[in-house]
Amino acid sequence: MNEKIHHGRNIKRFREMMGIKQEALAFELGADWSQKKISLLEQKEEVEEDLLQQVAEILKVPAEAIKNFNEEAVFNIISNTYHNDSKDQSTIIASSVNYQPTFNAIDKLVEALEENKKLYERLLESEREKVELLKKMLDK
């Protein structure tokens, strides 16, 4: 795994993950940049340090992330983390999701309803106080 990390490709990956178009990145880099120039930048294996720093700031990621991102390492982590001996695809998918909520949704709903009830009671009490105050003012 001694192959060189491709800075341009990593810039493209981070840009796409952030949902930023080449035109927008070019605009942020300045007037002398264009979509075509960004496309060429993303093809470069190694990007100059100062330009890499500028791009990293615009993409709001550390420059080191762009320099060191290795897709093969990510795939290795995923493949070593999610494995299943089952031949059934649905079991593989279900085990890779591994969703275990730490709360009961019904309990949360009941809490919300109780909170609403308390709010309505306070509102009703406030309205009663207003009515009493108005009655006292009219009696004077």
mmCIF file of all heavy atoms in Angstrom, residues 6-23:
data_model
loop_
_atom_site.group_PDB
_atom_site.id
_atom_site.type_symbol
_atom_site.label_atom_id
_atom_site.label_comp_id
_atom_site.label_asym_id
_atom_site.label_seq_id
_atom_site.Cartn_x
_atom_site.Cartn_y
_atom_site.Cartn_z
ATOM 1 N N HIS A 6 -3.597 10.666 -4.215
ATOM 2 C CA HIS A 6 -3.935 11.608 -5.278
ATOM 3 C C HIS A 6 -4.699 12.791 -4.680
ATOM 4 O O HIS A 6 -5.878 12.695 -4.395
ATOM 5 C CB HIS A 6 -4.780 10.877 -6.334
ATOM 6 C CG HIS A 6 -4.856 11.573 -7.634
ATOM 7 N ND1 HIS A 6 -5.624 12.698 -7.837
ATOM 8 C CD2 HIS A 6 -4.259 11.284 -8.823
ATOM 9 C CE1 HIS A 6 -5.500 13.073 -9.094
ATOM 10 N NE2 HIS A 6 -4.681 12.235 -9.717
ATOM 11 N N HIS A 7 -4.016 13.930 -4.513
ATOM 12 C CA HIS A 7 -4.618 15.109 -3.884
ATOM 13 C C HIS A 7 -5.834 15.603 -4.658
ATOM 14 O O HIS A 7 -6.869 15.938 -4.060
ATOM 15 C CB HIS A 7 -3.604 16.241 -3.769
ATOM 16 C CG HIS A 7 -2.492 15.948 -2.828
ATOM 17 N ND1 HIS A 7 -1.386 16.753 -2.714
ATOM 18 C CD2 HIS A 7 -2.286 14.940 -1.940
ATOM 19 C CE1 HIS A 7 -0.556 16.267 -1.812
ATOM 20 N NE2 HIS A 7 -1.080 15.158 -1.335
ATOM 21 N N GLY A 8 -5.716 15.687 -5.972
ATOM 22 C CA GLY A 8 -6.816 16.199 -6.800
ATOM 23 C C GLY A 8 -8.071 15.361 -6.664
ATOM 24 O O GLY A 8 -9.187 15.889 -6.531
ATOM 25 N N ARG A 9 -7.898 14.050 -6.689
ATOM 26 C CA ARG A 9 -9.050 13.154 -6.537
ATOM 27 C C ARG A 9 -9.689 13.319 -5.158
ATOM 28 O O ARG A 9 -10.898 13.300 -5.011
ATOM 29 C CB ARG A 9 -8.600 11.706 -6.760
ATOM 30 C CG ARG A 9 -9.743 10.767 -7.030
ATOM 31 C CD ARG A 9 -9.290 9.375 -7.441
ATOM 32 N NE ARG A 9 -8.231 9.397 -8.434
ATOM 33 C CZ ARG A 9 -7.148 8.621 -8.393
ATOM 34 N NH1 ARG A 9 -6.969 7.760 -7.411
ATOM 35 N NH2 ARG A 9 -6.231 8.695 -9.322
ATOM 36 N N ASN A 10 -8.854 13.513 -4.150
ATOM 37 C CA ASN A 10 -9.375 13.722 -2.797
ATOM 38 C C ASN A 10 -10.118 15.052 -2.689
ATOM 39 O O ASN A 10 -11.149 15.134 -2.024
ATOM 40 C CB ASN A 10 -8.252 13.644 -1.771
ATOM 41 C CG ASN A 10 -7.755 12.217 -1.598
ATOM 42 O OD1 ASN A 10 -8.387 11.268 -2.042
ATOM 43 N ND2 ASN A 10 -6.615 12.068 -0.966
ATOM 44 N N ILE A 11 -9.610 16.081 -3.355
ATOM 45 C CA ILE A 11 -10.330 17.361 -3.383
ATOM 46 C C ILE A 11 -11.705 17.149 -3.995
ATOM 47 O O ILE A 11 -12.717 17.622 -3.468
ATOM 48 C CB ILE A 11 -9.531 18.429 -4.170
ATOM 49 C CG1 ILE A 11 -8.298 18.851 -3.380
ATOM 50 C CG2 ILE A 11 -10.410 19.628 -4.510
ATOM 51 C CD1 ILE A 11 -7.342 19.754 -4.128
ATOM 52 N N LYS A 12 -11.738 16.412 -5.094
ATOM 53 C CA LYS A 12 -13.025 16.137 -5.755
ATOM 54 C C LYS A 12 -13.966 15.383 -4.823
ATOM 55 O O LYS A 12 -15.150 15.713 -4.706
ATOM 56 C CB LYS A 12 -12.798 15.320 -7.025
ATOM 57 C CG LYS A 12 -14.079 14.982 -7.754
ATOM 58 C CD LYS A 12 -13.826 14.203 -9.018
ATOM 59 C CE LYS A 12 -15.143 13.890 -9.713
ATOM 60 N NZ LYS A 12 -14.943 13.168 -10.958
ATOM 61 N N ARG A 13 -13.464 14.381 -4.124
ATOM 62 C CA ARG A 13 -14.310 13.587 -3.212
ATOM 63 C C ARG A 13 -14.885 14.462 -2.100
ATOM 64 O O ARG A 13 -16.064 14.402 -1.807
ATOM 65 C CB ARG A 13 -13.510 12.437 -2.623
ATOM 66 C CG ARG A 13 -13.299 11.347 -3.631
ATOM 67 C CD ARG A 13 -12.795 10.081 -2.972
ATOM 68 N NE ARG A 13 -12.622 9.069 -3.978
ATOM 69 C CZ ARG A 13 -11.455 8.781 -4.563
ATOM 70 N NH1 ARG A 13 -10.371 9.413 -4.215
ATOM 71 N NH2 ARG A 13 -11.391 7.844 -5.481
ATOM 72 N N PHE A 14 -14.029 15.262 -1.476
ATOM 73 C CA PHE A 14 -14.510 16.122 -0.398
ATOM 74 C C PHE A 14 -15.490 17.171 -0.934
ATOM 75 O O PHE A 14 -16.493 17.472 -0.300
ATOM 76 C CB PHE A 14 -13.341 16.799 0.334
ATOM 77 C CG PHE A 14 -12.664 15.894 1.325
ATOM 78 C CD1 PHE A 14 -11.431 15.335 1.056
ATOM 79 C CD2 PHE A 14 -13.275 15.601 2.539
ATOM 80 C CE1 PHE A 14 -10.807 14.506 1.971
ATOM 81 C CE2 PHE A 14 -12.662 14.770 3.463
ATOM 82 C CZ PHE A 14 -11.429 14.213 3.177
ATOM 83 N N ARG A 15 -15.194 17.727 -2.107
ATOM 84 C CA ARG A 15 -16.089 18.713 -2.711
ATOM 85 C C ARG A 15 -17.460 18.103 -2.957
ATOM 86 O O ARG A 15 -18.497 18.694 -2.625
ATOM 87 C CB ARG A 15 -15.486 19.223 -4.032
ATOM 88 C CG ARG A 15 -16.371 20.213 -4.771
ATOM 89 C CD ARG A 15 -15.766 20.618 -6.109
ATOM 90 N NE ARG A 15 -15.550 19.510 -7.027
ATOM 91 C CZ ARG A 15 -16.517 18.889 -7.705
ATOM 92 N NH1 ARG A 15 -17.773 19.236 -7.558
ATOM 93 N NH2 ARG A 15 -16.227 17.897 -8.533
ATOM 94 N N GLU A 16 -17.478 16.897 -3.500
ATOM 95 C CA GLU A 16 -18.745 16.218 -3.775
ATOM 96 C C GLU A 16 -19.475 15.857 -2.489
ATOM 97 O O GLU A 16 -20.700 15.958 -2.417
ATOM 98 C CB GLU A 16 -18.509 14.977 -4.633
ATOM 99 C CG GLU A 16 -18.137 15.318 -6.057
ATOM 100 C CD GLU A 16 -17.753 14.101 -6.883
ATOM 101 O OE1 GLU A 16 -17.445 13.020 -6.300
ATOM 102 O OE2 GLU A 16 -17.740 14.226 -8.128
ATOM 103 N N MET A 17 -18.743 15.426 -1.454
ATOM 104 C CA MET A 17 -19.375 15.104 -0.178
ATOM 105 C C MET A 17 -20.035 16.335 0.438
ATOM 106 O O MET A 17 -21.064 16.232 1.088
ATOM 107 C CB MET A 17 -18.352 14.516 0.810
ATOM 108 C CG MET A 17 -18.024 13.076 0.548
ATOM 109 S SD MET A 17 -17.047 12.362 1.872
ATOM 110 C CE MET A 17 -15.393 12.855 1.405
ATOM 111 N N MET A 18 -19.430 17.506 0.202
ATOM 112 C CA MET A 18 -19.974 18.746 0.739
ATOM 113 C C MET A 18 -21.077 19.315 -0.149
ATOM 114 O O MET A 18 -21.705 20.302 0.204
ATOM 115 C CB MET A 18 -18.866 19.798 0.884
ATOM 116 C CG MET A 18 -17.759 19.385 1.789
ATOM 117 S SD MET A 18 -18.372 19.082 3.439
ATOM 118 C CE MET A 18 -16.876 19.023 4.345
ATOM 119 N N GLY A 19 -21.277 18.708 -1.324
ATOM 120 C CA GLY A 19 -22.329 19.183 -2.223
ATOM 121 C C GLY A 19 -21.963 20.495 -2.912
ATOM 122 O O GLY A 19 -22.833 21.287 -3.254
ATOM 123 N N ILE A 20 -20.678 20.718 -3.122
ATOM 124 C CA ILE A 20 -20.216 21.959 -3.753
ATOM 125 C C ILE A 20 -19.851 21.660 -5.202
ATOM 126 O O ILE A 20 -19.136 20.710 -5.497
ATOM 127 C CB ILE A 20 -18.987 22.513 -2.993
ATOM 128 C CG1 ILE A 20 -19.384 22.864 -1.560
ATOM 129 C CG2 ILE A 20 -18.396 23.717 -3.704
ATOM 130 C CD1 ILE A 20 -18.222 23.263 -0.676
ATOM 131 N N LYS A 21 -20.341 22.474 -6.106
ATOM 132 C CA LYS A 21 -20.048 22.302 -7.538
ATOM 133 C C LYS A 21 -18.686 22.924 -7.854
ATOM 134 O O LYS A 21 -18.190 23.777 -7.121
ATOM 135 C CB LYS A 21 -21.140 22.961 -8.377
ATOM 136 C CG LYS A 21 -22.500 22.317 -8.191
ATOM 137 C CD LYS A 21 -23.329 22.504 -9.433
ATOM 138 C CE LYS A 21 -24.621 21.762 -9.358
ATOM 139 N NZ LYS A 21 -24.519 20.345 -9.541
ATOM 140 N N GLN A 22 -18.116 22.492 -8.973
ATOM 141 C CA GLN A 22 -16.818 23.017 -9.390
ATOM 142 C C GLN A 22 -16.882 24.540 -9.576
ATOM 143 O O GLN A 22 -15.960 25.254 -9.208
ATOM 144 C CB GLN A 22 -16.355 22.349 -10.682
ATOM 145 C CG GLN A 22 -15.903 20.922 -10.498
ATOM 146 C CD GLN A 22 -15.462 20.277 -11.802
ATOM 147 O OE1 GLN A 22 -15.943 20.639 -12.882
ATOM 148 N NE2 GLN A 22 -14.559 19.320 -11.698
ATOM 149 N N GLU A 23 -17.988 25.026 -10.134
ATOM 150 C CA GLU A 23 -18.149 26.461 -10.367
ATOM 151 C C GLU A 23 -18.102 27.237 -9.044
ATOM 152 O O GLU A 23 -17.498 28.307 -8.955
ATOM 153 C CB GLU A 23 -19.469 26.765 -11.084
ATOM 154 C CG GLU A 23 -19.563 26.219 -12.483
ATOM 155 C CD GLU A 23 -20.063 24.772 -12.545
ATOM 156 O OE1 GLU A 23 -20.334 24.173 -11.481
ATOM 157 O OE2 GLU A 23 -20.151 24.244 -13.663
#
